[in-house]
Amino acid sequence: MKPPSRPYHHGNLRQELLRAAEAALEARGVQDLSLRELSRELGVSHASPQRHFATKQDLIDALAIMGFERLSSVVGKAAEARGQDFKARLTKAANAYVGFALKHPALFALMFEAKRRPGMRPELRTALMAAFSHVPKILQEGQEAGKIVAGDPHSLALTLGAALHGLVAMSIEGKIRGTSLKAVVPKTVQHVLTGLNTNKT
Amino acid sequence: MKPPSRPYHHGNLRQELLRAAEAALEARGVQDLSLRELSRELGVSHASPQRHFATKQDLIDALAIMGFERLSSVVGKAAEARGQDFKARLTKAANAYVGFALKHPALFALMFEAKRRPGMRPELRTALMAAFSHVPKILQEGQEAGKIVAGDPHSLALTLGAALHGLVAMSIEGKIRGTSLKAVVPKTVQHVLTGLNTNKT
DNA sequence: ACACTATTGTTGACAATGACAACATGCTGT
DNA sequence: ACAGCATGTTGTCATTGTCAACAATAGTGT
């Protein structure tokens, strides 16, 4: 009898499903994400994903959590560049955020789609909040250096974070109004820091 | 023989499909949007939508275009409040933008999802650009009054528009960090206008 | 007034999907 | 060695989107 191409127990199917799902997501979008197609790619039966994810939505949620964890790691590394002034680190963190989004556009969109639904998993909220904890710290350091206006650093960070996120959401294929997003990011950081008014009121 | 409950030709099926689709979208999300379900609700056969929308995706694209047209109308009305200074009009336009998004969260998300796909329909791009044409005009008036820094009003508007859009995308059920988005919007407009730096550099 | 065409309905079929149930294999703990 | 659990399997069902062929009627041209 022909030996099976793989032992009966895959051994790492959950991780492989997540990896294959991310690739399929970026290639074809969430609307064409198919559990059966993923199973065929991995050489398992159509019902085996159900042993790791109770529903298709559970797999999608797991992708979102994974995404926020990655984003947090990427932004955290960029934000901790020692020996640079806070503005340089701020711009680096901003570039890291936008860079992640440009590199994983479908995953990025899915991450924020996942947080909109009722019954959001607590791990998702934890991962999201971790991802957004870096910029407030940098602004707080700027306040301590007398360079940033007074106020709750989280509230100030929200303005900048929202502007960056908005840039990503409003861009098309990495460009906004014909300009590469990567070129727009430092300018946006500058605009938000100095303000659009001609004076300080 | 029993008279049919409706003439053979519906007469307004396309508009009714869009209306029903929008309601279903807000109620259940895009992933549970079903052509057959919409057909049942409207009392027509399962294949009749195909006479108006070649594919399900065409219906979704039509929803996005409709959304941008509505958004443009809402923001345009708010932006044209005569007799008020530019900052008040700016805040009104910002409130209108965020208000629309809070009132139609699923449609709003779908609008920006639609623009991300390759082969975006030209009407979608036209409607999107119309929606984003109002804030640059207000900033230009602010520049003429000497209140806004020099520069391309579209580029400056991008920073503010991105911040607003980012707020929406990052909010959860109309709140951000426990605060109602409507309360955050004027603060964000203020932050972007005056800047986060303690001085003008 | 009528014939023809186009529009927009219909029924039926097919392939694909997600989810579920029942069964199969093998790993782990006692 | 065996029971229990984890994680595979096959098979089934209901639903979906899409397509083809046909049906009804609205609109148009003569």
Side-chain angles (χ1 to χ4, degrees):
Chain A
M1 185 229 275
K2 181 171 167 298
S5 59
R6 174 182 53 79
Y8 186 92
H9 273 229
H10 182 284
N12 195 34
L13 187 54
R14 187 176 196 279
Q15 286 308 315
E16 284 299 292
L17 279 168
L18 282 171
R19 182 195 57 74
E22 186 192 349
L25 175 71
E26 294 297 350
R28 300 191 289 274
V30 67
Q31 288 190 20
D32 288 338
L33 196 62
S34 157
L35 294 176
R36 289 197 184 219
E37 181 61 32
L38 295 177
S39 301
R40 282 193 290 272
E41 286 173 23
L42 297 176
V44 293
S45 68
H46 57 269
S48 54
Q50 194 151 8
R51 295 301 179 194
H52 304 276
F53 305 98
T55 63
K56 180 180 179 180
Q57 189 59 57
D58 277 357
L59 170 66
I60 291 173
D61 286 350
L63 280 174
I65 292 168
M66 186 186 75
F68 276 117
E69 285 168 355
R70 289 236 212 102
L71 177 63
S72 184
S73 174
V74 155
V75 174
K77 284 195 179 68
E80 78 190 3
R82 293 296 178 228
Q84 297 186 8
D85 71 2
F86 89 97
K87 188 188 166 192
R89 284 168 54 215
L90 209 59
T91 304
K92 263 188 168 166
N95 281 329
Y97 185 88
V98 171
F100 179 93
L102 293 181
K103 191 175 177 186
H104 312 283
L107 177 63
F108 191 81
L110 178 149
M111 282 154 64
F112 289 89
E113 174 70 23
K115 65 105 189 108
R116 278 205 316 111
R117 290 183 311 100
M120 181 180 69
R121 289 172 61 180
E123 309 98 295
L124 184 59
R125 177 180 288 274
T126 301
L128 184 153
M129 290 180 69
F132 284 100
S133 68
H134 307 287
V135 167
K137 285 174 187 165
I138 305 181
L139 289 182
Q140 186 170 3
E141 290 173 24
Q143 284 177 325
E144 287 161 5
K147 302 289 188 67
I148 288 291
V149 297
D152 176 13
H154 285 91
S155 177
L156 303 180
L158 187 60
T159 300
L160 178 58
L164 295 173
H165 189 90
L167 283 184
V168 171
M170 291 160 71
S171 66
I172 300 175
E173 291 174 1
K175 286 185 177 179
I176 212 157
R177 293 185 62 239
T179 308
S180 161
L181 203 49
K182 292 209 172 220
V184 171
V185 164
K187 189 182 296 182
T188 297
V189 172
Q190 183 64 36
H191 278 158
V192 170
L193 289 179
T194 59
L196 304 188
N197 278 353
T198 41
N199 60 31
K200 251 333 263 184
T201 51
Chain B
M1 184 231 273
K2 182 172 168 294
S5 61
R6 173 182 51 78
Y8 185 91
H9 272 230
H10 183 283
N12 195 34
L13 187 54
R14 186 179 197 276
Q15 286 309 313
E16 283 300 294
L17 279 167
L18 283 170
R19 182 194 58 74
E22 187 193 347
L25 175 70
E26 293 298 348
R28 301 192 286 275
V30 66
Q31 288 190 20
D32 287 337
L33 197 61
S34 157
L35 294 176
R36 287 197 184 219
E37 181 61 33
L38 296 178
S39 301
R40 282 193 291 271
E41 286 173 23
L42 296 177
V44 292
S45 67
H46 58 268
S48 54
Q50 194 152 9
R51 296 300 180 193
H52 302 276
F53 304 98
T55 62
K56 182 180 177 180
Q57 189 59 58
D58 278 359
L59 170 66
I60 291 174
D61 286 349
L63 278 175
I65 291 168
M66 185 188 77
F68 277 116
E69 284 166 356
R70 290 239 211 98
L71 177 62
S72 184
S73 173
V74 155
V75 174
K77 284 195 179 70
E80 77 190 5
R82 292 301 178 225
Q84 298 187 8
D85 72 2
F86 89 97
K87 187 188 167 193
R89 285 168 52 216
L90 207 60
T91 304
K92 263 188 168 166
N95 281 330
Y97 184 88
V98 171
F100 179 93
L102 293 181
K103 191 175 175 185
H104 312 284
L107 177 63
F108 191 80
L110 178 148
M111 283 154 65
F112 288 88
E113 176 67 25
K115 66 109 189 102
R116 276 201 321 105
R117 291 184 309 100
M120 180 180 70
R121 289 173 61 181
E123 308 99 294
L124 184 58
R125 177 180 289 276
T126 300
L128 184 153
M129 291 180 67
F132 284 99
S133 65
H134 307 286
V135 168
K137 285 174 186 165
I138 305 180
L139 289 181
Q140 187 171 4
E141 292 173 21
Q143 283 176 324
E144 287 159 5
K147 301 288 187 72
I148 289 289
V149 297
D152 175 12
H154 285 91
S155 176
L156 303 180
L158 185 58
T159 301
L160 179 58
L164 294 175
H165 189 89
L167 284 184
V168 171
M170 291 161 68
S171 66
I172 299 175
E173 291 175 0
K175 287 186 176 180
I176 211 157
R177 293 186 61 239
T179 309
S180 162
L181 204 49
K182 293 211 171 215
V184 170
V185 164
K187 189 182 296 183
T188 298
V189 173
Q190 183 65 37
H191 278 158
V192 170
L193 288 179
T194 59
L196 303 188
N197 278 353
T198 40
N199 60 29
K200 249 337 255 186
T201 51

